[in-house]
Amino acid sequence: MRGENTLFIVCAAAAVLLACGPAAPAAGAAEMAPAAADAIAAELRVDAYALCDIALPDDELPAAFSVTVPREGRIETLAVTRTSVRGRQFQVLAQVAGGAFVELPAPPARTCRGAVEGAPGSIVAASLLPHGLSACVLPRGGGGWAVR
């Protein structure tokens, strides 16, 4: 993956898996026209990617959850726990008529941290958003990949 310019919004449980190495097509995945595949890779600014379906938790914001992701011919399981990255003084303010600010209740944190099961030292940073999962995975040995 080539860093910070990879943003791809997907609906429901569909996701794009961005990887450094060649991607293996997901089992049962529909064939895509080469021009469409090239356009997606160019838009995402990646060398390789795979389209796959990821089963997300039924609970909108569980305290902890695991998702399985097909990657390079094997299944990776991301195990994460909801973890806020907000500062101690975090607050949500709304400006009302007249210019004053009023504090609103903060929505629940959607950020998570965890690891890849069976991969000691790996790091997963994720957000479970209304439109799907966004996750960055950093293996212990370097490199990295993402789910969008």
Side-chain angles (χ1 to χ4, degrees), residues 102-124:
V102 296
E103 186 173 355
L104 299 176
R110 294 186 165 274
T111 50
C112 305
R113 291 186 180 162
V116 177
E117 288 183 0
S122 63
I123 299 170
V124 175

Side-chain angles (χ1 to χ4, degrees), residues 68-145:
T68 57
V69 179
R71 181 172 173 267
E72 296 179 344
R74 63 183 184 278
I75 300 295
E76 304 275 9
T77 301
L78 311 181
V80 297
T81 302
R82 193 158 34 112
T83 307
S84 177
V85 294
R86 297 171 178 166
R88 289 186 181 155
Q89 307 237 344
F90 174 84
Q91 55 184 326
V92 176
L93 299 175
Q95 191 170 19
V96 296
F101 287 92
V102 296
E103 186 173 355
L104 299 176
R110 294 186 165 274
T111 50
C112 305
R113 291 186 180 162
V116 177
E117 288 183 0
S122 63
I123 299 170
V124 175
S127 293
L128 186 55
L129 304 169
H131 62 266
L133 179 69
S134 178
C136 292
V137 181
L138 301 173
R140 182 178 185 167
W145 51 281

Side-chain angles (χ1 to χ4, degrees), residues 1-109:
M1 181 175 79
R2 290 193 203 144
E4 56 281 341
N5 293 324
T6 56
L7 174 63
F8 190 74
I9 298 175
V10 294
C11 296
V16 175
L17 177 63
L18 309 173
C20 296
E31 289 297 318
M32 183 182 307
D38 291 345
I40 291 171
E43 179 67 24
L44 295 175
R45 297 187 177 117
V46 296
D47 293 326
Y49 69 93
L51 298 177
C52 58
D53 287 325
I54 298 174
L56 297 177
D58 291 332
D59 184 5
E60 185 178 322
L61 283 173
F65 64 95
S66 295
V67 295
T68 57
V69 179
R71 181 172 173 267
E72 296 179 344
R74 63 183 184 278
I75 300 295
E76 304 275 9
T77 301
L78 311 181
V80 297
T81 302
R82 193 158 34 112
T83 307
S84 177
V85 294
R86 297 171 178 166
R88 289 186 181 155
Q89 307 237 344
F90 174 84
Q91 55 184 326
V92 176
L93 299 175
Q95 191 170 19
V96 296
F101 287 92
V102 296
E103 186 173 355
L104 299 176

